[in-house]
Amino acid sequence: MTDKTKRSERIKANLNLDKLSSKLNIDTDTLGLKVSNFIHHVFNERIKSEPLNWCFANIKRVKIFLLIFHANQSDKEIYKEEIAKNLTEYSYKTIAKIIDDGIAKKYYVLLPTDATGVSRDSKVKNIRPSEKLITDFLNLGIEVLVHIEKNKLI
């Protein structure tokens, strides 16, 4: 057995194939190429949208975007301080600058808080993704699903 074959066998032995449906016929010899092509496709689709391209430019922006997007979809208020509490690996200043840049580019919008019954600080603004950013992100998700289905990846 060659070193290349041994290496391949060790990699296959560590794949979590048991997580896949037994109905799927996964060819582990071509899995890497399929995954690589898929990720490449996702990145190519992402760059078609200026807001998504900006939000996905680095891991800090991605993490901030996902927190804001998730809060929006969950109908929960989110603001800079809350984001900083959830992303302790970055300083508040870094997070605030990214959000302010996103607001200046109109990728994020500030909406009034949903102050129902409880007096809230009027300076606190609810951060939301713009309608364009939401649409582009959801269309990216749709494109991913279409790609998976069209290429029979699962």
Side-chain angles (χ1 to χ4, degrees), residues 35 57 63 75 85 90-91 96 102 104 115 118 120 126 132 136 141 144:
V35 169
K63 288 180 178 182
D75 202 27
K85 276 193 265 179
Y90 308 119
S91 71
V118 179
R120 297 288 304 256
N126 195 9
K132 170 100 171 99
D136 289 353
V144 165

Side-chain angles (χ1 to χ4, degrees), residues 14-15 26 28 46-47 65 72 83-84 90 125 135 137 145:
N14 286 304
L15 293 177
I26 299 294
T28 56
R46 177 211 58 169
I47 62 174
F65 165 72
N72 184 70
I83 293 168
Y90 308 119
K125 296 293 183 194
T135 303
F137 186 63
L145 296 172

Side-chain angles (χ1 to χ4, degrees), residues 70-136:
H70 186 75
N72 184 70
Q73 296 305 114
S74 302
D75 202 27
K76 294 183 180 170
E77 293 179 354
I78 195 156
Y79 44 94
K80 292 176 187 176
E81 292 78 8
E82 185 70 22
I83 293 168
K85 276 193 265 179
N86 285 288
L87 296 176
T88 57
E89 64 267 35
Y90 308 119
S91 71
Y92 174 83
K93 185 177 176 181
T94 297
I95 290 167
K97 178 167 180 2
I98 290 169
I99 293 169
D100 290 343
D101 288 348
I103 291 168
K105 292 180 178 296
K106 299 187 180 351
Y107 301 153
Y108 297 130
V109 294
L110 296 177
L111 301 177
T113 60
D114 301 327
T116 52
V118 179
S119 175
R120 297 288 304 256
D121 184 348
S122 64
K123 290 186 272 182
V124 175
K125 296 293 183 194
N126 195 9
I127 304 165
R128 291 288 186 236
S130 69
E131 290 177 23
K132 170 100 171 99
L133 182 53
I134 292 169
T135 303
D136 289 353

Side-chain angles (χ1 to χ4, degrees), residues 13 20 26 29-30 37-39 43 47 52 68 75 83 91 119 130 142 146 151:
L20 297 172
I26 299 294
D29 293 327
T30 61
N37 285 337
F38 172 71
I39 298 296
F43 277 96
I47 62 174
L52 277 182
I68 293 170
D75 202 27
I83 293 168
S91 71
S119 175
S130 69
I142 291 167
V146 167
N151 292 287

